Amino acid sequence: MISYVRRTVATCALGALALGAAACGGSTGPSPQAPAGRPAASPPAASPSAAPPTLAPGPAGLTPVFKSAPRAKERSVALTFDADMTADQGPRAAAGEHFDNPQLIATLRKLKVPATVFMTGRWAEEYPAQAKDIGRDPLFEVANHSYSHYAFTGDCYGLPRVPAAGMRADVERAFTAFRKAGVEHVVPYFRFPGGCYDKQALRALTPAGVTAVQWDVVSGDAFATDAGAVTRQVLDGVRAGSVVVLHCTRSAAPTTERVVRSVVPALRAKGFRFVRVSELVGAAGRA
């Protein structure tokens, strides 16, 4: 019951990010357009695949949904980071609010942690230099988190809703924003804003040819102020093949960078290896 409550509260916070808070953002630190520092070399093993794996369509041809790879042969885990910015947050950005977190990206690079960044198209438009910098780093892969970060179902934590007729267009608009920003390593994965989806949404996205990626570990970093509590929740939840949802956010998820600095060595000490989502999707497809 406690686990269920934690998951419900954390997921609600994820949806609320789109309305009142920024992802991948903060009000201090480097300029939002300045690429984060990179170590001398990324590990050769992190080179991305030329053809990211996808899952076969689900029943009735619906968009397939991937949550974890529970049958993974290795103790592997994927850290994923949502880069949220809604379509209507331009005035807030113009007023000086930052929706990025270069320090977190720099920490991932320093620790040599592969990761998948689920980015909204609006975020890529606001920070094209950073989007391009993340996409060209072989440690990372960029996936689609919609253009607008509006909900694809009704009753999704108060998020504005994308009409069914506009769902595919919203996803494709995000891919277009990535191309315009020069993002090189984009994978055909999609994460529903707020984690909310139904059969109508899965049917609407079938022509887009994406695999929907959810998660099995909620970090609870949204609005968290206790990095230790978030770290414990991640460590308690991770299993072989897990997908962890986090945010690269300083204003709405200010503890995340500190959590990463604690979680990474702790999981490595337990024998876990960090991978991008594409590796877990590939493992699931071969199972």
Side-chain angles (χ1 to χ4, degrees):
M1 180 63 181
I2 292 175
S3 176
Y4 174 80
V5 172
R6 284 181 175 176
R7 180 178 295 272
T8 302
V9 172
T11 303
C12 179
L14 298 179
L17 282 175
L19 296 179
C24 269
S27 59
T28 61
S31 166
Q33 292 291 349
R38 179 183 292 126
S42 298
S47 296
S49 168
T54 56
L55 298 182
L62 298 180
T63 296
V65 179
F66 175 80
K67 296 182 179 180
S68 65
R71 297 179 182 177
K73 295 180 181 179
E74 297 182 344
R75 292 172 67 82
S76 53
V77 57
L79 299 185
T80 68
F81 298 88
D82 290 356
D84 303 338
M85 185 174 182
T86 64
D88 56 0
Q89 287 178 332
R92 288 166 56 176
E97 185 171 350
H98 299 304
F99 296 82
D100 62 337
N101 193 343
Q103 185 178 357
L104 172 62
I105 299 300
T107 295
L108 292 169
R109 285 169 167 158
K110 182 178 180 180
L111 296 175
K112 295 181 171 57
V113 178
T116 303
V117 178
F118 284 86
M119 188 180 294
T120 68
R122 184 65 187 87
W123 193 96
E125 288 179 347
E126 190 69 27
Y127 304 107
Q130 289 190 59
K132 181 177 181 179
D133 186 60
I134 291 169
R136 70 185 180 188
D137 191 323
L139 270 179
F140 308 129
E141 61 189 9
V142 174
N144 194 315
H145 195 30
S146 80
Y147 174 82
S148 62
H149 203 271
Y150 289 173
F152 281 58
T153 67
D155 192 24
C156 185
Y157 311 113
L159 291 171
R161 185 178 183 181
V162 178
M167 291 179 183
R168 179 184 176 185
D170 187 88
V171 172
E172 292 179 344
R173 187 178 180 186
F175 282 128
T176 298
F178 300 159
R179 288 194 294 272
K180 288 182 177 179
V183 181
E184 297 176 12
H185 187 209
V186 178
V187 290
Y189 306 144
F190 176 75
R191 174 165 286 167
F192 287 98
C196 304
Y197 68 93
D198 55 20
K199 285 186 178 180
Q200 183 183 48
L202 294 177
R203 187 177 300 111
L205 296 189
T206 297
V210 297
T211 293
V213 174
Q214 298 290 93
W215 55 81
D216 67 316
V217 179
V218 176
S219 68
D221 66 338
F223 305 111
T225 57
D226 186 342
V230 177
T231 296
R232 289 190 295 273
Q233 183 154 313
V234 172
L235 296 179
D236 288 346
V238 167
R239 302 290 184 270
S242 281
V243 175
V244 184
V245 59
L246 299 121
H247 296 79
C248 39
T249 312
R250 284 173 289 171
S251 59
T255 67
T256 306
E257 193 271 339
R258 283 180 287 156
V259 169
V260 166
R261 283 191 276 120
S262 298
V263 162
V264 168
L267 286 177
R268 281 176 170 161
K270 293 182 177 182
F272 280 93
R273 181 173 67 92
F274 292 96
V275 300
R276 293 176 297 276
V277 164
S278 56
E279 185 166 331
L280 292 185
V281 172
R286 293 189 299 269

